Amino acid sequence: MTLKQAEKHEQDILVNLLEKYEYEFSQYHGWDVEDSGLYGIEMEDEYWDENKKHTAYLIKVDGNLAGFVLVIDGSEEGETTDYAIDEFFIMYKYRRSGIGKKALFEVLDKHRGSWQLTYHPKNAASVNFWEKSIGEYTNGEFKIDEAHPHSDYKYEDGTVGKVMFFQN
C-alpha cells in the first residue's frame, strides 16, 4: 500500500473516485444522479491553492487505485481541532484487508495534533472501522459525541452524525 499526496493534475482521478464514494453513500443521503448519470462532484479549490488548507491523498495497492483520504486543516463541527477527516474511501476489493487502517495511520502520522471526524451512525461498517482503528491508534484515548450529538451536523436523511475527537 502506498499513500501519495494528490496533485492538481490528478484532480479528475479524485473526482472519479468521489463519484463512486457518493454512489455508495447514496443509501444514506438519498441523492439522485444528474441527467449525465453522475452526481456532479467537484473538488474544492482549497485542495489545490498555495495555502494548502486541505490535503488529498490517493491510496494505491500494487500500483492500482484503492481509495482516497481528504483531510481538512481545522474543524468541521463543534470543538476546535487542528484537522478533520473530510472523506475517506476504500474500494470494496481492498476492504477488510488492513489497507484502510494502514492508510489512515499514515495520514494521521503526517498530521500531528487534535482531530475530529464525523461519521454516519447507520453505516455499521464505518462505525466499526472508525471506532476500532482510532481506538487502536490512540490506545482508546478518544471521545465520541453521542450523549449530545451535534445537532449542527445532520446527514441528508436527517440522521445526526457521530463526531469523534482525539489527539495524536
Side-chain angles (χ1 to χ4, degrees), residues 50-64:
E50 11 180 279
N51 296 330
K52 283 290 186 189
K53 289 282 189 190
H54 302 340
T55 308
Y57 294 97
L58 292 171
I59 302 165
K60 291 189 173 189
V61 174
D62 297 327
N64 298 309

Side-chain angles (χ1 to χ4, degrees), residues 45-90:
D45 289 337
E46 288 88 351
Y47 286 97
W48 316 116
D49 69 16
E50 11 180 279
N51 296 330
K52 283 290 186 189
K53 289 282 189 190
H54 302 340
T55 308
Y57 294 97
L58 292 171
I59 302 165
K60 291 189 173 189
V61 174
D62 297 327
N64 298 309
L65 286 169
F68 64 84
V69 184
L70 303 180
V71 176
I72 296 173
D73 284 6
S75 311
E76 271 194 316
E77 304 294 328
E79 294 182 25
T80 301
T81 56
D82 299 317
Y83 303 103
I85 300 278
D86 189 27
E87 307 294 347
F88 186 92
F89 179 68
I90 301 294

Side-chain angles (χ1 to χ4, degrees), residues 67-127:
F68 64 84
V69 184
L70 303 180
V71 176
I72 296 173
D73 284 6
S75 311
E76 271 194 316
E77 304 294 328
E79 294 182 25
T80 301
T81 56
D82 299 317
Y83 303 103
I85 300 278
D86 189 27
E87 307 294 347
F88 186 92
F89 179 68
I90 301 294
M91 304 278 284
Y92 278 118
K93 175 181 177 179
Y94 300 103
R95 291 186 188 170
R96 300 184 152 287
S97 67
I99 298 298
K101 183 170 75 170
K102 185 174 182 189
L104 173 64
F105 286 12
E106 281 193 36
V107 166
L108 295 176
D109 287 345
K110 289 177 183 293
H111 302 271
R112 306 300 275 180
S114 58
W115 280 84
Q116 68 174 266
L117 65 96
T118 303
Y119 55 103
H120 199 297
K122 292 182 184 175
N123 183 342
S126 173
V127 170

